Amino acid sequence: RSVARPAKPYSPNVGKMAPAASEPPWRLLFTLRELAHPGSLAARGLPRTAVRIESGPQVARTPHPTDVAIAEVWDGRLAANPRLFDAPKYRLASSFATGGECALRIGLTRYRDYIGTHLSSEFARLVSDGERDFGDGNAHLGCALGVETVLLTADQHIVLLRRSTAVATSTGEYNGPSGHPEPNLAVGGLDATPEAIRDQLWDAVIQETFEETGVPTDSLGEPLLIGAMADERRKPDLLFCTTTSLRSDEVMARYRAGAKDAWESSGLIAVPPAIDRRAPGDCRWNSHALGIQLTAVTQAAMVCMKVRDELMLNEPD
């Protein structure tokens, strides 16, 4: 088993400063602003019971004439990184979030099809053909659904992991515990009910957090959904906030002891809380001010957390 490099306290301006950008290449699909009223319980995030899943073969990827190239793209990526493995994944076809209601249309895909479409040289054609023929640029894409959580410690630190050279994308950048829910692990497997699919999405957040940080599952609270995003290659992720009863130093100790999936990261940092969340220039959820390069997914999660804070700060007296 790989041994994790030592965890370390966070200090500003560690590593490469993230470049400022007026318009990020990723886009938010929704935040709590579309789902919660200021001061409501939902302002902290949505529990699983507040999310509806719509599933079925009608939300599967539409085949494309260039699909013969999927194997070539996959084989090339696998040769470069033998740790990659193909398995069923959930596919986010679309999402609906407004007026306090959240619905996710989810089908099935494979990790191989995600790699072979989103990272293909034919990506632009796949998108344009989908828009032309179906009014949906994602129609021919795998759209493998990932999950990532902002992990908050008992002393209000944010836990971030530095992605190792063994992962498929974003090497050297920082993110929260993340991964792909596994349809085979859902109750009912590939024939799971919508409720079982939803449970697997939430359970995956807990499992990924444990496997990547070593934080025990019984110290974790129920993940709360705070938003969703798609990166510049249209890959979707659900964004969560999860708390642990452990302090930041205890999380670091668990990580140093050897997390199951320690090979996925080359270090862990714990970002301390801002002195005053209301203060101008507060960098707590500012991706650029943190002084480290965050993945696109984590940048989006920080924006969702800022929205969450704003809604919570507007609680009535």
Side-chain angles (χ1 to χ4, degrees):
R1 183 175 72 177
S2 301
V3 178
R5 294 183 186 177
K8 58 184 178 181
Y10 168 82
S11 60
N13 301 316
V14 174
K16 179 181 178 182
M17 175 68 77
S22 56
E23 290 293 334
W26 48 266
R27 64 188 178 93
L28 289 169
L29 302 179
F30 62 84
T31 71
L32 289 174
R33 203 177 301 283
E34 290 79 48
L35 293 166
H37 299 294
S40 67
L41 288 177
R44 297 180 178 274
L46 297 187
R48 68 182 74 192
T49 53
V51 177
R52 186 176 80 254
I53 303 296
E54 300 173 4
S55 64
Q58 71 277 11
V59 291
R61 186 182 75 88
T62 303
H64 189 270
T66 63
D67 282 357
V68 292
I70 289 178
E72 181 181 347
V73 176
W74 173 253
D75 289 344
R77 291 280 173 163
L78 187 60
N81 185 356
R83 284 187 179 271
L84 297 180
F85 64 94
D86 185 33
K89 302 296 177 187
Y90 289 123
R91 178 180 189 270
L92 181 65
S94 62
S95 61
F96 174 85
T98 186
E101 180 183 3
C102 181
L104 306 173
R105 298 181 68 238
I106 291 178
L108 290 171
T109 187
R110 299 192 67 86
Y111 193 69
R112 175 179 178 271
D113 290 347
Y114 152 62
I115 293 291
T117 55
H118 290 257
L119 303 183
S120 170
S121 60
E122 298 287 348
F123 173 77
R125 178 183 171 188
L126 294 173
V127 173
S128 63
D129 285 0
E131 291 174 342
R132 181 195 64 208
D133 298 335
F134 302 99
D136 178 10
N138 293 337
H140 299 300
L141 301 178
C143 294
L145 178 60
V147 294
E148 178 166 327
T149 191
V150 175
L151 179 60
L152 295 179
T153 64
D155 50 351
Q156 293 299 297
H157 283 57
I158 309 162
V159 176
L160 294 171
L161 296 149
R162 189 172 188 268
R163 294 173 64 83
S164 74
T165 56
V167 296
T169 58
S170 304
T171 294
E173 298 179 359
Y174 286 83
N175 66 330
S178 61
H180 292 91
E182 302 292 346
N184 285 328
L185 297 181
V187 175
L190 302 185
D191 297 317
T193 64
E195 291 74 19
I197 293 172
R198 181 193 62 196
D199 287 345
Q200 172 54 21
L201 300 179
W202 261 253
D203 293 347
V205 176
I206 295 292
Q207 192 63 26
E208 293 289 349
T209 300
F210 164 67
E211 291 179 354
E212 294 183 7
T213 67
V215 171
T217 57
D218 60 5
S219 79
L220 297 171
E222 172 79 351
L224 297 175
L225 183 66
I226 59 173
M229 63 83 70
D231 68 15
E232 61 182 330
R233 304 291 284 191
R234 291 176 171 254
K235 184 191 184 302
D237 276 82
L238 297 179
L239 308 173
F240 294 82
C241 177
T242 308
T243 59
T244 174
S245 59
L246 301 185
R247 300 186 310 272
S248 56
D249 60 323
E250 294 173 313
V251 171
M252 290 182 178
R254 294 281 184 168
Y255 180 79
R256 282 195 297 266
K260 177 182 177 183
D261 286 343
W263 62 270
E264 294 184 3
S265 62
S266 58
L268 178 149
I269 61 174
V271 181
I275 295 174
D276 183 358
R277 290 189 303 172
R278 301 171 188 258
D282 170 23
C283 69
R284 181 168 172 78
W285 308 122
N286 186 325
S287 300
H288 307 303
L290 287 177
I292 52 177
Q293 185 68 44
L294 302 180
T295 67
V297 182
T298 308
Q299 291 176 40
M302 293 297 170
V303 173
C304 290
M305 287 297 290
K306 185 175 187 297
V307 170
R308 176 180 182 267
D309 267 13
E310 290 170 353
L311 292 172
M312 290 171 60
L313 286 171
N314 285 325
E315 293 179 1
D317 295 331

